[in-house]
Amino acid sequence: MGTRADALENAGLPPVTDRASYEAQVERLRRREKAHTREADAIAAARRRLPMVEVDGRAELLGRAGAACRRWTTATR
């Protein structure tokens, strides 16, 4: 029968480390997360700035239940 340390190592858990190493890794991860959030925000802002396209008012709108009433689709937004 193995030791508790062997069982933890083989359980797929991350390694045990000291507090300073943990804090350093958490800080690196936070920087990556902040960069990711900034990039996602920039992408969303670029999407909002995309030009609009005029839609032919005679076009039929189709929903899950078939043709949709134009007045109903704009009133729910």
Side-chain angles (χ1 to χ4, degrees):
M1 201 154 125
T3 65
R4 184 172 191 277
D6 291 337
L8 287 174
E9 186 175 323
N10 295 327
L13 298 173
V16 175
T17 188
D18 62 284
R19 175 65 67 178
S21 295
Y22 170 79
E23 294 294 338
Q25 289 182 33
V26 166
E27 185 55 36
R28 283 194 297 273
L29 185 57
R30 282 188 188 125
R31 283 195 296 270
R32 287 181 59 199
E33 288 173 332
K34 286 182 181 185
H36 173 76
T37 300
R38 283 189 213 96
E39 181 63 16
D41 290 347
I43 290 169
R47 183 177 297 116
R48 288 189 300 272
R49 289 190 300 269
L50 285 171
M52 294 185 207
V53 176
E54 188 173 345
V55 177
D56 182 355
R58 297 169 294 173
E60 183 179 29
L61 300 176
L62 298 176
R64 281 182 246 153
C69 171
R70 184 174 310 283
R71 190 182 68 187
W72 181 81
T73 58
T74 57
T76 59
R77 290 182 182 225

